[in-house]
Amino acid sequence: MSDEQPTTNVGTDILFENDVVRVWRMRLAPGESSELHRHLHDHVFVYANPSVMEAEVSGEDERIRQPSDEGFTFYREVGRDGLLPHRLTNVGTTESTHYIVELLGPSRSDEPQPPVHNGRLIPGHETNW
């Protein structure tokens, strides 16, 4: 990745925010990428439609492929310092929409934890995470 500075905007627009949660929508057309961003808060993702996304993580060579079916949901504890900056790209053939619910305040974990998900991946698509 370039010298681009990451943002904390983890979605394309904010739908709701109070002292406890912030709810984002991330909408990407086929071939479109998100801003380089970081997650500083534990969060839940929910995919509204089947989507094939790839994540490019700063400092890592391999891209993470995530073929998510409608209703794919995962929870992630980001740790005290948050996650590494990354960018999502819609590598599918249809628009992708998912929602991110950030749990504001300190993470429940000192170190980032692997995501816990409901397993709703698109059958027949490979994933590498």
mmCIF file of all heavy atoms in Angstrom, residues 7 14 17 39 49 57 59 68-69 86 88 103 105 107 121-123:
data_model
loop_
_atom_site.group_PDB
_atom_site.id
_atom_site.type_symbol
_atom_site.label_atom_id
_atom_site.label_comp_id
_atom_site.label_asym_id
_atom_site.label_seq_id
_atom_site.Cartn_x
_atom_site.Cartn_y
_atom_site.Cartn_z
ATOM 1 N N THR A 7 -8.075 6.090 7.476
ATOM 2 C CA THR A 7 -9.141 6.806 8.151
ATOM 3 C C THR A 7 -9.794 5.872 9.175
ATOM 4 O O THR A 7 -9.552 4.662 9.146
ATOM 5 C CB THR A 7 -10.181 7.298 7.118
ATOM 6 O OG1 THR A 7 -11.203 8.011 7.800
ATOM 7 C CG2 THR A 7 -10.797 6.157 6.336
ATOM 8 N N ILE A 14 -22.696 6.941 7.827
ATOM 9 C CA ILE A 14 -23.185 6.641 9.174
ATOM 10 C C ILE A 14 -24.707 6.700 9.157
ATOM 11 O O ILE A 14 -25.297 7.667 8.686
ATOM 12 C CB ILE A 14 -22.631 7.642 10.210
ATOM 13 C CG1 ILE A 14 -21.118 7.485 10.336
ATOM 14 C CG2 ILE A 14 -23.295 7.441 11.564
ATOM 15 C CD1 ILE A 14 -20.466 8.490 11.274
ATOM 16 N N GLU A 17 -25.767 7.005 15.459
ATOM 17 C CA GLU A 17 -24.670 7.100 16.419
ATOM 18 C C GLU A 17 -25.206 7.668 17.729
ATOM 19 O O GLU A 17 -26.006 8.593 17.729
ATOM 20 C CB GLU A 17 -23.572 8.008 15.872
ATOM 21 C CG GLU A 17 -22.372 8.125 16.771
ATOM 22 C CD GLU A 17 -21.228 8.902 16.142
ATOM 23 O OE1 GLU A 17 -21.409 9.471 15.039
ATOM 24 O OE2 GLU A 17 -20.160 8.943 16.762
ATOM 25 N N HIS A 39 -10.128 -0.277 12.137
ATOM 26 C CA HIS A 39 -11.167 -0.458 13.148
ATOM 27 C C HIS A 39 -10.538 -0.248 14.522
ATOM 28 O O HIS A 39 -9.594 -0.956 14.882
ATOM 29 C CB HIS A 39 -11.764 -1.865 13.066
ATOM 30 C CG HIS A 39 -12.542 -2.098 11.818
ATOM 31 N ND1 HIS A 39 -13.882 -1.821 11.725
ATOM 32 C CD2 HIS A 39 -12.162 -2.563 10.603
ATOM 33 C CE1 HIS A 39 -14.298 -2.123 10.504
ATOM 34 N NE2 HIS A 39 -13.270 -2.568 9.810
ATOM 35 N N ASN A 49 -26.551 -8.738 1.357
ATOM 36 C CA ASN A 49 -26.694 -9.497 0.120
ATOM 37 C C ASN A 49 -25.409 -10.298 -0.114
ATOM 38 O O ASN A 49 -24.376 -9.993 0.465
ATOM 39 C CB ASN A 49 -26.968 -8.557 -1.069
ATOM 40 C CG ASN A 49 -25.857 -7.563 -1.297
ATOM 41 O OD1 ASN A 49 -25.468 -6.832 -0.401
ATOM 42 N ND2 ASN A 49 -25.332 -7.538 -2.509
ATOM 43 N N VAL A 57 -4.484 -6.014 3.569
ATOM 44 C CA VAL A 57 -4.074 -5.549 4.887
ATOM 45 C C VAL A 57 -2.660 -4.989 4.812
ATOM 46 O O VAL A 57 -1.762 -5.619 4.240
ATOM 47 C CB VAL A 57 -4.142 -6.698 5.930
ATOM 48 C CG1 VAL A 57 -3.721 -6.221 7.302
ATOM 49 C CG2 VAL A 57 -5.550 -7.301 5.968
ATOM 50 N N GLY A 59 1.023 -4.259 5.312
ATOM 51 C CA GLY A 59 2.119 -5.079 5.819
ATOM 52 C C GLY A 59 1.984 -6.559 5.528
ATOM 53 O O GLY A 59 2.842 -7.338 5.911
ATOM 54 N N SER A 68 -19.252 -13.826 1.185
ATOM 55 C CA SER A 68 -20.281 -13.776 2.212
ATOM 56 C C SER A 68 -21.672 -13.907 1.617
ATOM 57 O O SER A 68 -22.014 -13.195 0.681
ATOM 58 C CB SER A 68 -20.196 -12.442 2.953
ATOM 59 O OG SER A 68 -18.888 -12.233 3.421
ATOM 60 N N ASP A 69 -22.466 -14.803 2.176
ATOM 61 C CA ASP A 69 -23.845 -14.936 1.731
ATOM 62 C C ASP A 69 -24.718 -13.919 2.473
ATOM 63 O O ASP A 69 -24.275 -13.317 3.468
ATOM 64 C CB ASP A 69 -24.352 -16.351 2.005
ATOM 65 C CG ASP A 69 -25.437 -16.789 1.029
ATOM 66 O OD1 ASP A 69 -25.955 -15.932 0.283
ATOM 67 O OD2 ASP A 69 -25.762 -17.988 1.027
ATOM 68 N N HIS A 86 -6.561 -1.503 6.497
ATOM 69 C CA HIS A 86 -6.890 -2.384 5.381
ATOM 70 C C HIS A 86 -7.886 -1.709 4.450
ATOM 71 O O HIS A 86 -8.484 -0.698 4.788
ATOM 72 C CB HIS A 86 -7.435 -3.729 5.886
ATOM 73 C CG HIS A 86 -8.668 -3.607 6.712
ATOM 74 N ND1 HIS A 86 -8.639 -3.251 8.038
ATOM 75 C CD2 HIS A 86 -9.977 -3.755 6.399
ATOM 76 C CE1 HIS A 86 -9.879 -3.205 8.510
ATOM 77 N NE2 HIS A 86 -10.710 -3.504 7.527
ATOM 78 N N LEU A 88 -11.040 -2.843 1.576
ATOM 79 C CA LEU A 88 -11.896 -3.875 0.998
ATOM 80 C C LEU A 88 -12.153 -3.558 -0.465
ATOM 81 O O LEU A 88 -12.363 -2.395 -0.824
ATOM 82 C CB LEU A 88 -13.254 -3.924 1.702
ATOM 83 C CG LEU A 88 -13.292 -4.417 3.128
ATOM 84 C CD1 LEU A 88 -14.706 -4.312 3.667
ATOM 85 C CD2 LEU A 88 -12.799 -5.835 3.222
ATOM 86 N N LEU A 103 -19.054 -0.971 18.600
ATOM 87 C CA LEU A 103 -19.353 -0.867 20.019
ATOM 88 C C LEU A 103 -18.355 0.127 20.605
ATOM 89 O O LEU A 103 -17.185 -0.200 20.798
ATOM 90 C CB LEU A 103 -19.245 -2.236 20.684
ATOM 91 C CG LEU A 103 -20.075 -3.327 19.989
ATOM 92 C CD1 LEU A 103 -19.768 -4.686 20.574
ATOM 93 C CD2 LEU A 103 -21.550 -3.001 20.069
ATOM 94 N N GLY A 105 -16.139 2.633 22.884
ATOM 95 C CA GLY A 105 -15.459 2.398 24.146
ATOM 96 C C GLY A 105 -14.312 1.436 23.939
ATOM 97 O O GLY A 105 -14.050 0.992 22.818
ATOM 98 N N SER A 107 -11.898 -1.845 23.782
ATOM 99 C CA SER A 107 -12.108 -3.228 23.370
ATOM 100 C C SER A 107 -12.207 -4.134 24.593
ATOM 101 O O SER A 107 -11.593 -3.871 25.630
ATOM 102 C CB SER A 107 -10.944 -3.682 22.483
ATOM 103 O OG SER A 107 -11.109 -5.031 22.096
ATOM 104 N N LEU A 121 -21.243 -18.496 4.406
ATOM 105 C CA LEU A 121 -20.395 -18.158 3.252
ATOM 106 C C LEU A 121 -21.073 -18.669 2.000
ATOM 107 O O LEU A 121 -21.918 -19.574 2.046
ATOM 108 C CB LEU A 121 -19.016 -18.794 3.430
ATOM 109 C CG LEU A 121 -18.251 -18.329 4.678
ATOM 110 C CD1 LEU A 121 -16.989 -19.153 4.867
ATOM 111 C CD2 LEU A 121 -17.925 -16.860 4.594
ATOM 112 N N ILE A 122 -20.732 -18.099 0.851
ATOM 113 C CA ILE A 122 -21.341 -18.515 -0.411
ATOM 114 C C ILE A 122 -20.778 -19.892 -0.776
ATOM 115 O O ILE A 122 -19.566 -20.049 -0.929
ATOM 116 C CB ILE A 122 -21.043 -17.507 -1.535
ATOM 117 C CG1 ILE A 122 -21.641 -16.143 -1.179
ATOM 118 C CG2 ILE A 122 -21.609 -18.003 -2.858
ATOM 119 C CD1 ILE A 122 -21.281 -15.040 -2.162
ATOM 120 N N PRO A 123 -21.654 -20.892 -0.925
ATOM 121 C CA PRO A 123 -21.182 -22.239 -1.290
ATOM 122 C C PRO A 123 -20.453 -22.219 -2.627
ATOM 123 O O PRO A 123 -20.827 -21.499 -3.549
ATOM 124 C CB PRO A 123 -22.475 -23.059 -1.394
ATOM 125 C CG PRO A 123 -23.496 -22.298 -0.631
ATOM 126 C CD PRO A 123 -23.100 -20.837 -0.749
#
